[in-house]
Amino acid sequence: MSEAVLELRDLHRTYQGADGPIEVLRGVDLAIAPGEIVGLIGPSGSGKSSLLHAAGLLERPTRGVVRVAGQEGSDLSEAQRTRLRRHALGFVYQFHHLLAEFSALDNVAMPAEMAGLSRKAARDRARELLDRLGLTPRLDHQPARLSGGEQQRVAVARALVNRPKLLLADEPTGNLDAAASEAVFASIRDLSRSLGVAALIATHNLDLAGKMDRVLALRSGRISAG
């Protein structure tokens, strides 16, 4: 069996609130296999974003193990965590966070250039991804000239341009209508499968969650089968 691309063991995350500590994650255990697409559901405030931030090495847990692509996060310096994020992880959020002054092509190519590809190689890779998402006619469009669904598909391409091991998506369709949500989810699913990328997708959309390989529910700070 292949080693899990993401492994969380006894993960705890506590925040200091005005009235004392708030324990958001209370011993989460989770493993995602290479290429597996997993949905994460739970009510607002259940800790889905906190779990994704810990899994994405954006925050250190209060205690517990976070292992990404075989590397234990707590053993790494901040610079090493940044390098691991850049090469092993891709992120998609509810809002696309595209750079307004750049075209769709340049928004997608930029992370690949930052990771060391030449400008031509980065743009070729970005162009290929955008073409597969049906966005070839929009390559030179800035975000303001794209629909909400198109903006989010550009964000998906940007997250996958460095060919990560794992895609983390936090409500990626939460700001879209039903048709656009379906298109964006299909983009994530189809590209992830073709590239062999695992995905952990937090969503309130139970219909979309049901189309993933499995669904996990986060309740009272713990994970159970959805």
Side-chain angles (χ1 to χ4, degrees):
M1 180 179 174
S2 298
E3 181 178 42
V5 71
L6 173 67
E7 183 181 1
L8 309 179
R9 289 209 318 265
D10 195 30
L11 193 73
H12 290 253
R13 187 66 172 97
T14 301
Y15 297 94
Q16 190 61 41
D19 299 320
I22 301 170
E23 193 174 17
V24 177
L25 302 177
R26 306 180 181 188
V28 168
D29 294 302
L30 168 64
I32 296 179
E36 186 179 24
I37 298 177
V38 178
L40 179 65
I41 61 173
S44 296
S46 63
K48 297 191 300 298
S49 292
S50 293
L51 190 154
L52 289 174
H53 288 167
L57 305 177
L58 297 170
E59 295 181 1
R60 292 185 184 268
T62 306
R63 73 173 191 268
V65 171
V66 178
R67 185 172 286 113
V68 175
Q71 295 195 57
E72 164 60 74
S74 62
D75 294 337
L76 304 177
S77 67
E78 286 304 321
Q80 290 170 324
R81 285 161 66 90
T82 297
R83 280 196 297 273
L84 184 56
R85 277 198 303 271
R86 184 174 295 161
H87 293 286
L89 297 169
F91 299 88
V92 180
Y93 300 98
Q94 180 173 350
F95 299 100
H96 54 78
H97 299 301
L98 300 175
L99 297 175
E101 66 272 28
F102 290 98
S103 68
L105 180 63
D106 286 333
N107 265 284
V108 176
M110 192 176 303
E113 286 191 65
M114 292 174 64
L117 284 188
S118 69
R119 177 172 171 79
K120 181 183 184 304
R123 288 169 69 85
D124 286 348
R125 187 181 290 184
R127 189 177 288 107
E128 178 189 358
L129 287 174
L130 290 167
D131 178 62
R132 291 170 68 175
L133 293 174
L135 292 171
T136 295
R138 302 286 190 265
L139 292 182
D140 296 324
H141 286 39
Q142 293 176 322
R145 298 178 60 198
L146 303 174
S147 70
E150 288 170 340
Q151 291 171 344
Q152 200 66 328
R153 278 184 282 158
V154 173
V156 170
R158 179 184 58 188
L160 293 172
V161 72
N162 282 331
R163 299 173 181 170
K165 302 290 187 184
L166 174 67
L167 178 70
L168 298 170
D170 194 357
E171 299 289 352
T173 66
N175 200 40
L176 303 174
D177 62 28
S181 294
E182 186 72 39
V184 168
F185 173 72
S187 299
I188 294 173
R189 179 194 59 209
D190 296 346
L191 267 185
S192 295
R193 289 208 190 286
S194 66
L195 296 172
V197 176
L200 177 61
I201 305 172
T203 182
H204 281 105
N205 189 322
L206 299 183
D207 289 336
L208 294 185
K211 298 177 182 179
M212 303 185 204
D213 295 330
R214 61 187 169 113
V215 181
L216 302 174
L218 187 58
R219 299 186 182 96
S220 301
R222 294 182 174 87
I223 288 284
S224 61

